[in-house]
Short mmCIF file of all heavy atoms in Angstrom, two decimals:
data_model
loop_
_atom_site.label_atom_id
_atom_site.label_comp_id
_atom_site.label_asym_id
_atom_site.label_seq_id
_atom_site.Cartn_x
_atom_site.Cartn_y
_atom_site.Cartn_z
N ALA A 318 39.27 3.33 -18.80
CA ALA A 318 38.93 2.33 -19.95
C ALA A 318 37.52 2.63 -20.49
O ALA A 318 36.71 3.37 -19.89
CB ALA A 318 38.99 0.89 -19.51
N ARG A 319 37.20 2.07 -21.59
CA ARG A 319 35.96 2.32 -22.26
C ARG A 319 35.48 0.83 -22.71
O ARG A 319 36.26 -0.09 -22.77
CB ARG A 319 36.02 3.21 -23.45
CG ARG A 319 36.88 2.65 -24.59
CD ARG A 319 37.16 3.68 -25.71
NE ARG A 319 37.86 3.18 -26.75
CZ ARG A 319 39.21 3.22 -26.86
NH1 ARG A 319 40.02 3.49 -25.70
NH2 ARG A 319 39.91 2.69 -27.87
N TRP A 320 34.18 0.86 -23.20
CA TRP A 320 33.55 -0.41 -23.53
C TRP A 320 34.27 -0.88 -24.85
O TRP A 320 34.60 -0.28 -25.77
CB TRP A 320 32.07 -0.26 -23.96
CG TRP A 320 31.19 0.02 -22.81
CD1 TRP A 320 30.53 1.14 -22.51
CD2 TRP A 320 30.95 -0.81 -21.69
NE1 TRP A 320 29.83 1.00 -21.34
CE2 TRP A 320 30.09 -0.16 -20.75
CE3 TRP A 320 31.36 -2.16 -21.30
CZ2 TRP A 320 29.50 -0.79 -19.59
CZ3 TRP A 320 30.91 -2.69 -20.24
CH2 TRP A 320 29.99 -2.07 -19.35
N ARG A 321 34.60 -2.23 -24.83
CA ARG A 321 35.23 -2.88 -25.90
C ARG A 321 34.20 -3.15 -27.03
O ARG A 321 33.06 -3.50 -26.72
CB ARG A 321 35.85 -4.26 -25.53
CG ARG A 321 36.70 -4.90 -26.61
CD ARG A 321 37.25 -6.17 -26.09
NE ARG A 321 38.18 -5.96 -24.94
CZ ARG A 321 39.47 -5.65 -25.14
NH1 ARG A 321 40.01 -5.50 -26.31
NH2 ARG A 321 40.28 -5.46 -24.10
N GLU A 322 34.50 -2.90 -28.23
CA GLU A 322 33.58 -3.11 -29.32
C GLU A 322 33.77 -4.47 -30.03
O GLU A 322 34.92 -5.04 -29.96
CB GLU A 322 33.78 -1.97 -30.29
CG GLU A 322 33.42 -0.57 -29.74
CD GLU A 322 33.57 0.59 -30.68
OE1 GLU A 322 34.26 0.31 -31.74
OE2 GLU A 322 33.19 1.63 -30.43
N MET A 323 32.91 -4.88 -30.86
CA MET A 323 33.00 -6.19 -31.44
C MET A 323 33.88 -6.03 -32.74
O MET A 323 34.55 -7.06 -33.18
CB MET A 323 31.63 -6.62 -31.94
CG MET A 323 30.67 -6.97 -30.79
SD MET A 323 29.07 -7.59 -31.48
CE MET A 323 28.38 -6.20 -32.23
N ASN A 324 33.96 -4.88 -33.28
CA ASN A 324 34.70 -4.70 -34.52
C ASN A 324 34.34 -5.54 -35.68
O ASN A 324 35.14 -6.22 -36.27
CB ASN A 324 36.26 -4.81 -34.20
CG ASN A 324 36.75 -3.62 -33.32
OD1 ASN A 324 36.40 -2.53 -33.45
ND2 ASN A 324 37.55 -4.03 -32.31
N VAL A 325 32.98 -5.60 -35.99
CA VAL A 325 32.52 -6.36 -37.05
C VAL A 325 31.75 -5.54 -37.91
O VAL A 325 31.28 -4.38 -37.67
CB VAL A 325 31.65 -7.59 -36.56
CG1 VAL A 325 32.38 -8.53 -35.66
CG2 VAL A 325 30.27 -6.96 -35.84
N PRO A 326 31.58 -5.84 -39.25
CA PRO A 326 30.91 -5.08 -40.16
C PRO A 326 29.45 -4.75 -39.67
O PRO A 326 28.69 -5.59 -39.07
CB PRO A 326 30.76 -5.88 -41.50
CG PRO A 326 31.97 -6.81 -41.34
CD PRO A 326 32.16 -7.08 -39.86
N GLY A 327 28.87 -3.51 -39.81
CA GLY A 327 27.66 -3.09 -39.35
C GLY A 327 27.62 -2.46 -37.98
O GLY A 327 26.59 -1.75 -37.63
N GLU A 328 28.61 -2.74 -37.12
CA GLU A 328 28.46 -2.25 -35.71
C GLU A 328 28.46 -0.85 -35.63
O GLU A 328 27.47 -0.20 -35.02
CB GLU A 328 29.78 -2.80 -34.96
CG GLU A 328 29.64 -2.32 -33.46
CD GLU A 328 30.87 -2.83 -32.68
OE1 GLU A 328 31.83 -3.36 -33.22
OE2 GLU A 328 30.74 -2.82 -31.40
N GLN A 329 29.38 -0.13 -36.28
CA GLN A 329 29.42 1.33 -36.26
C GLN A 329 28.22 1.92 -37.06
O GLN A 329 27.57 3.01 -36.59
CB GLN A 329 30.72 1.87 -36.91
CG GLN A 329 31.88 1.56 -35.98
CD GLN A 329 31.84 1.94 -34.58
OE1 GLN A 329 31.37 2.99 -34.28
NE2 GLN A 329 32.19 0.99 -33.67
N ALA A 330 27.77 1.37 -38.14
CA ALA A 330 26.72 1.90 -38.90
C ALA A 330 25.45 1.87 -38.12
O ALA A 330 24.49 2.85 -38.36
CB ALA A 330 26.55 1.03 -40.21
N TYR A 331 25.22 0.91 -37.21
CA TYR A 331 24.03 0.80 -36.45
C TYR A 331 24.30 1.23 -35.05
O TYR A 331 23.42 0.82 -34.23
CB TYR A 331 23.46 -0.56 -36.69
CG TYR A 331 22.90 -0.78 -38.09
CD1 TYR A 331 23.59 -1.42 -38.97
CD2 TYR A 331 21.59 -0.20 -38.42
CE1 TYR A 331 23.07 -1.57 -40.29
CE2 TYR A 331 21.18 -0.32 -39.69
CZ TYR A 331 21.87 -1.05 -40.69
OH TYR A 331 21.51 -1.12 -41.98
N ARG A 332 25.30 1.86 -34.69
CA ARG A 332 25.53 2.20 -33.18
C ARG A 332 24.44 3.34 -32.94
O ARG A 332 24.33 4.34 -33.67
CB ARG A 332 26.90 2.70 -33.14
CG ARG A 332 27.33 3.21 -31.72
CD ARG A 332 28.70 3.80 -31.59
NE ARG A 332 29.10 4.04 -30.26
CZ ARG A 332 30.18 3.43 -29.68
NH1 ARG A 332 30.90 2.65 -30.44
NH2 ARG A 332 30.45 3.76 -28.40
N GLY A 333 23.71 3.09 -31.88
CA GLY A 333 22.71 3.98 -31.55
C GLY A 333 21.41 3.78 -32.44
O GLY A 333 20.40 4.47 -32.27
N LYS A 334 21.43 2.76 -33.27
CA LYS A 334 20.26 2.35 -34.13
C LYS A 334 19.93 0.96 -33.85
O LYS A 334 19.42 0.17 -34.74
CB LYS A 334 20.48 2.66 -35.63
CG LYS A 334 20.83 4.11 -35.94
CD LYS A 334 21.18 4.27 -37.40
CE LYS A 334 21.55 5.70 -37.71
NZ LYS A 334 21.89 5.84 -39.14
N GLY A 335 20.21 0.48 -32.65
CA GLY A 335 19.99 -0.92 -32.26
C GLY A 335 21.23 -1.55 -31.65
O GLY A 335 21.09 -2.53 -30.89
N VAL A 336 22.43 -1.04 -31.98
CA VAL A 336 23.68 -1.50 -31.25
C VAL A 336 23.78 -0.65 -30.13
O VAL A 336 24.00 0.68 -30.18
CB VAL A 336 24.92 -1.41 -32.20
CG1 VAL A 336 26.10 -1.83 -31.47
CG2 VAL A 336 24.72 -2.42 -33.42
N ALA A 337 23.92 -1.10 -28.91
CA ALA A 337 24.04 -0.41 -27.69
C ALA A 337 25.04 -1.03 -26.74
O ALA A 337 25.36 -2.22 -26.86
CB ALA A 337 22.60 -0.30 -26.99
N TYR A 338 25.41 -0.20 -25.76
CA TYR A 338 26.48 -0.67 -24.87
C TYR A 338 25.96 -0.53 -23.40
O TYR A 338 26.66 -0.90 -22.40
CB TYR A 338 27.71 0.07 -24.99
CG TYR A 338 28.26 -0.08 -26.40
CD1 TYR A 338 27.69 0.65 -27.47
CD2 TYR A 338 29.22 -1.15 -26.74
CE1 TYR A 338 28.15 0.46 -28.80
CE2 TYR A 338 29.64 -1.36 -28.09
CZ TYR A 338 29.12 -0.58 -29.05
OH TYR A 338 29.50 -0.82 -30.37
N CYS A 339 24.80 0.13 -23.17
CA CYS A 339 24.27 0.24 -21.78
C CYS A 339 22.79 -0.31 -21.67
O CYS A 339 21.89 0.39 -22.11
CB CYS A 339 24.28 1.81 -21.48
SG CYS A 339 23.65 2.12 -19.82
N PRO A 340 22.64 -1.46 -21.26
CA PRO A 340 21.32 -2.10 -21.20
C PRO A 340 20.37 -1.34 -20.35
O PRO A 340 19.20 -1.27 -20.40
CB PRO A 340 21.54 -3.47 -20.67
CG PRO A 340 22.88 -3.48 -20.00
CD PRO A 340 23.71 -2.40 -20.73
N HIS A 341 20.89 -0.73 -19.21
CA HIS A 341 20.06 0.04 -18.30
C HIS A 341 19.51 1.32 -18.85
O HIS A 341 18.37 1.71 -18.72
CB HIS A 341 20.85 0.40 -17.04
CG HIS A 341 21.46 -0.82 -16.33
ND1 HIS A 341 20.65 -1.63 -15.67
CD2 HIS A 341 22.68 -1.25 -16.20
CE1 HIS A 341 21.48 -2.59 -15.04
NE2 HIS A 341 22.65 -2.42 -15.41
N CYS A 342 20.33 1.87 -19.74
CA CYS A 342 20.02 3.11 -20.39
C CYS A 342 18.98 2.89 -21.54
O CYS A 342 17.87 3.47 -21.62
CB CYS A 342 21.18 3.90 -21.04
SG CYS A 342 22.41 4.23 -19.83
#
Side-chain angles (χ1 to χ4, degrees):
R319 64 187 183 278
W320 290 116
R321 187 180 297 276
E322 299 176 347
M323 296 182 291
N324 293 318
V325 300
E328 180 178 17
Q329 294 305 318
Y331 290 100
R332 189 181 183 119
K334 300 177 182 178
V336 175
Y338 302 84
C339 179
H341 302 289
C342 301

